[in-house]
Amino acid sequence: MITFQAPDISQFIQPYEIKCFAVSPDEQHVVWSCNSSGVFNLWAIDEQAAAPYQLTQHHQASDAIQIVASSEQKQPFILFTSDRDGDENMQIYAVAAHGGVPVPVRYDEGKRYFFGAVSEEGKRLYYGSNKENPLYLNIYSYDLESGEERLLLTGAEAETHFQAISPNEQALAYFVRYNHTNMKGYVRSGDRTLPLIPDATEEHKVANLTFANDETLYFLTNYKEEYNYLASFSLKTGTFKKVMSIPAEEIASFQLSRPSGDIYLATSRGVRNSLYRYNVVTRECEKLSIPVDVIYQWMVTEAKTVYVLGSSPTKPANLYRKKADANWQKITENRVPGASEHDLVEPEVITYESYDGTRIESLYYPAKKEMSNGHTIVFPHGGPQFLERKEYYGWFQYFAAKGYNLFIPNFRGSTNYGTRFMKLIEGDWGGGPRRDIIWGIESLIQLGKMTRDQIIVMGASYGGYMSLLLFGRHPGYFVACVDICGPTNLFTMVESVPDHWKARMDSWIGNPIRDRERLIEQSPVTYLDNMKKPVMVVQGANDPRIKKEESDQIVEGLRAKDIEVDYLVFPDEGHGFGKKANEIKAVAEIARFLDQVINKNSEQMASNSMA
């Protein structure tokens, strides 16, 4: 009988990440950014091609792609963004449709460009940048023929982001972000600047500003409601109007289908996404089938072909296409090598009641019974105004296969649960959310899904911060802590974040003078004396969001107290992993660290039981 080896780390982590994609107007070409070769590059597939092919070898991630059919170019070309080793200073490049060496279009060393849109005839590029206004950002246009750049709007008060340009290029739509739940939308036409919601006095957010024509703008907002709904604004009359909503679902994005007049909408409800088609005339809303639980990006073409980039817990991210009156078709073939869907873990969705009666939704990945080591990893998500959803995450599948249960709570402040729930974390990073997690741990212990004295806490970004805070404030619960690029000192964090974030720090985290006592209480470095068990810290040296100095503080502070700390720094990474080799190394080192912890913990528990 032939015995095959069980999947190892690289197999679970090997599925590649697809950052973004674009489709040519004639649907003959699909282009995407992914790290299928181990590093990020642009890849493409043609309508008649049998397999994808690589377009670039620039080896860096992109966050936007657009295929441009310009009347001045003989062939379509591709505009895309790219940073350098995770520094997030996105520059804008062009490459021929058949690939080659990228050509810089908008490039300034150490600055950042926010890709916006290209005019309908492909002559002008619209974008934002921090190059002349690092605190609030500016909006520009660039003539792709003459090379002339024009300053269109100077940001003031808070970060200002381009959203859309009208078909005749006479009206500019943008939003100003004060924080994640306070984003005001505007349209500037000639010498007039109009708020999309006139006379609004309460905080609200807007998103996905889109011109239907030169006089009508559609957008998403939660103004006076819990969830985002679809609204419109008339430039001619200055009138704001609610168009439609879907009960208890957050409309995350939408797209106008101009030939048919339909509006397609992607929604979020807790840990899942849905897709709908809304008929403007009949006002009927039809839910469409999708091949995934979670959508990362999607689009609809003039021929009503729907493209979706998404994943499910046992299905890594892939690109899918559904032509009118046809079934879904996979464009990419991203899978876990050496493992079937049956080998992977489908998480349970568990809802529990927190300390004040607030309902918290969570995901629970049970270890394979034959592999279980009895330990549970509590994994607070990043953001913090984000959430974990039913998507493929190789880390979760790998640790579940190694015998760990995983508990992932969407504590207060998480998105997709309404405006009030999302705002609960503002000015309270380390209070209510921390208690939600502790109550979740106790709930799962009562359910028999977690064992006291066999709990590890691990997280990235805000999740790393929360892991350290839980470890320091509730040391009796945890046998070890893994922090991946997490803030450790809120006083230094609010000063070191990217400049265009700084306007939101006061309402998001707190003021170092006004809120001094609370920031001390909610900073992990305050609790170094309680961190007596093993700690591991992972950090990217180029991280622009959470500087390496944040991790240095906690490592140096613990080592000064003779606490065991493993510190792993990647010189060519930023806030996360862009290179597969680095990610696999990080997971391997964390696994080694945890193996040592649970072996020592098991020995200690056995010794205690004998005594």
Side-chain angles (χ1 to χ4, degrees):
M1 180 178 178
I2 300 174
T3 302
F4 295 100
Q5 184 176 339
D8 62 12
I9 296 171
S10 63
Q11 287 169 274
F12 288 104
I13 308 302
Q14 199 60 48
Y16 48 84
E17 182 180 356
I18 304 175
K19 286 282 190 183
C20 53
F21 74 92
V23 179
S24 63
D26 61 6
E27 297 189 50
Q28 293 300 303
H29 312 284
V30 183
V31 178
W32 61 92
S33 170
C34 75
N35 57 355
S36 55
S37 64
V39 291
F40 279 98
N41 281 295
L42 295 188
W43 289 73
I45 192 168
D46 300 336
E47 175 68 17
Q48 306 303 323
Y53 55 92
Q54 190 170 334
L55 291 174
T56 68
Q57 295 186 31
H58 68 292
H59 305 328
Q60 303 293 341
S62 301
D63 67 358
I65 303 171
Q66 184 160 343
I67 302 173
V68 181
S70 171
S71 58
E72 300 299 317
Q73 301 285 136
K74 293 182 179 179
Q75 296 290 334
F77 63 96
I78 302 164
L79 288 174
F80 68 97
T81 59
S82 178
D83 72 347
R84 184 181 298 277
D85 292 338
D87 66 5
E88 297 185 11
N89 287 323
M90 291 291 176
Q91 313 290 326
I92 302 176
Y93 296 86
V95 69
H98 56 268
V101 178
V103 176
V105 175
R106 305 310 301 135
Y107 183 95
D108 282 284
E109 186 71 33
K111 307 301 180 183
R112 179 171 181 175
Y113 287 87
F114 298 84
F115 190 92
V118 178
S119 62
E120 290 192 355
E121 78 282 11
K123 292 184 178 180
R124 275 169 294 281
L125 171 65
Y126 292 86
Y127 52 90
S129 179
N130 65 353
K131 63 180 180 177
E132 296 171 314
N133 189 355
L135 286 177
Y136 307 132
L137 313 179
N138 290 338
I139 296 174
Y140 303 85
S141 70
Y142 178 75
D143 192 306
L144 292 166
E145 298 173 12
S146 69
E148 178 188 3
E149 182 179 68
R150 290 179 56 211
L151 172 64
L152 301 180
L153 184 72
T154 299
E157 295 186 5
E159 57 183 292
T160 302
H161 289 274
F162 170 86
Q163 280 281 283
I165 194 76
S166 61
N168 65 7
E169 299 182 72
Q170 298 302 303
L172 170 72
Y174 63 96
F175 70 78
V176 179
R177 175 159 53 200
Y178 299 91
N179 65 32
H180 294 294
T181 58
N182 186 14
M183 296 157 55
K184 303 295 196 304
Y186 300 90
V187 61
R188 196 183 73 177
S189 179
D191 58 0
R192 299 184 306 158
T193 297
L194 305 172
L196 297 184
I197 305 178
D199 304 319
T201 56
E202 59 190 71
E203 290 187 359
H204 61 275
K205 57 183 179 177
V206 300
N208 209 164
L209 282 60
T210 304
F211 283 97
N213 50 53
D214 292 329
E215 294 186 349
T216 304
L217 188 74
Y218 283 92
F219 62 100
L220 301 176
T221 185
N222 65 342
Y223 180 59
K224 292 189 174 181
E225 294 194 17
E226 275 295 298
Y227 296 93
N228 275 358
Y229 55 88
L230 182 67
S232 68
F233 179 80
S234 169
L235 278 70
K236 186 175 183 179
T237 64
T239 305
F240 158 78
K241 183 175 70 173
K242 178 179 178 179
V243 176
M244 62 87 69
S245 62
I246 298 176
E249 293 191 41
E250 180 96 350
I251 301 180
S253 58
F254 72 92
Q255 185 181 329
L256 306 177
S257 179
R258 288 189 170 87
S260 66
D262 291 338
I263 300 177
Y264 289 76
L265 311 109
T267 69
S268 300
R269 184 170 186 169
V271 298
R272 296 178 180 85
N273 291 139
S274 298
L275 196 62
Y276 293 86
R277 180 171 53 231
Y278 175 73
N279 187 292
V280 178
V281 176
T282 65
R283 298 186 181 180
E284 294 178 347
C285 193
E286 175 191 3
K287 188 172 185 178
L288 307 177
S289 68
I290 55 174
V292 293
D293 288 310
V294 171
I295 298 172
Y296 305 130
Q297 184 188 343
W298 65 281
M299 67 168 292
V300 182
T301 68
E302 290 190 359
K304 291 189 177 181
T305 304
V306 182
Y307 290 81
V308 164
L309 167 61
S311 78
S312 297
T314 61
K315 297 177 182 179
N318 275 292
L319 271 166
Y320 300 83
R321 171 174 54 204
K322 186 182 186 305
K323 295 186 177 182
D325 302 319
N327 295 323
W328 284 101
Q329 170 196 5
K330 258 188 184 182
I331 298 175
T332 56
E333 194 56 60
N334 190 17
R335 61 175 67 189
V336 181
S340 67
E341 287 188 34
H342 177 73
D343 297 320
L344 304 178
V345 176
E346 181 74 24
E348 301 174 27
V349 179
I350 297 174
T351 302
Y352 63 91
E353 192 172 281
S354 190
Y355 65 96
D356 60 355
T358 300
R359 301 294 293 177
I360 306 296
E361 187 174 53
S362 64
L363 296 173
Y364 176 77
Y365 287 74
K368 295 284 187 180
K369 289 183 179 179
E370 64 274 16
M371 298 294 294
S372 179
N373 59 36
H375 287 72
T376 299
I377 298 174
V378 175
F379 194 94
H381 65 70
Q385 287 165 315
F386 190 63
L387 82 164
E388 290 293 345
R389 301 176 290 174
K390 291 195 66 179
E391 60 191 308
Y392 182 81
Y393 190 14
W395 292 45
F396 292 168
Q397 294 293 345
Y398 170 68
F399 283 109
K402 272 188 66 70
Y404 296 92
N405 305 311
L406 293 107
F407 169 55
I408 304 104
N410 284 331
F411 42 81
R412 67 191 62 207
S414 302
T415 53
N416 294 359
Y417 300 100
T419 301
R420 284 175 291 184
F421 190 88
M422 185 177 174
K423 289 182 71 67
L424 289 174
I425 204 167
E426 293 173 3
D428 186 29
W429 267 35
R434 172 179 53 82
R435 296 177 68 186
D436 288 342
I437 296 170
I438 292 298
W439 277 67
I441 291 171
E442 288 292 345
S443 296
L444 264 68
I445 290 173
Q446 294 301 315
L447 290 171
K449 294 180 178 295
M450 193 181 298
T451 304
R452 208 178 295 276
D453 301 323
Q454 292 185 298
I455 306 172
I456 295 152
V457 63
M458 174 168 64
S461 192
Y462 175 87
Y465 156 84
M466 181 53 71
S467 295
L468 288 168
L469 189 64
L470 286 163
F471 193 63
R473 295 204 63 172
H474 306 275
Y477 278 98
F478 307 105
V479 298
C481 173
V482 179
D483 157 41
I484 305 160
C485 59
T488 63
N489 183 333
L490 296 183
F491 290 94
T492 53
M493 182 202 165
V494 298
E495 296 298 328
S496 64
V497 296
D499 286 340
H500 66 281
W501 286 26
K502 289 181 177 177
R504 69 176 102 137
M505 290 298 107
D506 195 84
S507 61
W508 201 32
I509 297 175
N511 183 285
I513 297 174
R514 182 191 67 229
D515 304 312
R516 174 179 168 78
E517 294 305 314
R518 179 169 55 77
L519 296 190
I520 291 173
E521 178 192 352
Q522 295 186 355
S523 291
V525 292
T526 302
Y527 305 97
L528 291 175
D529 288 339
N530 294 342
M531 300 182 187
K532 301 184 184 299
K533 296 174 185 176
V535 177
M536 183 173 188
V537 177
V538 181
Q539 178 70 44
N542 299 325
D543 194 334
R545 307 184 194 189
I546 308 302
K547 301 288 189 183
K548 179 177 175 290
E549 287 74 19
E550 287 293 310
S551 290
D552 290 344
Q553 286 184 66
I554 203 79
V555 171
E556 292 166 5
L558 289 171
R559 286 178 174 171
K561 295 179 180 294
D562 295 323
I563 303 300
E564 179 184 344
V565 186
D566 284 25
Y567 192 21
L568 183 60
V569 178
F570 290 93
D572 55 349
E573 295 286 7
H575 198 66
F577 295 97
K579 299 173 176 63
K580 277 293 173 189
N582 288 343
E583 185 179 11
I584 290 170
K585 180 180 179 180
V587 176
E589 288 298 307
I590 292 170
R592 176 198 56 77
F593 169 78
L594 294 183
D595 284 346
Q596 293 176 345
V597 167
I598 66 171
N599 288 338
K600 186 181 297 185
N601 190 50
S602 297
E603 290 172 5
Q604 183 64 48
M605 291 176 67
S607 175
N608 291 343
S609 64
M610 291 177 64

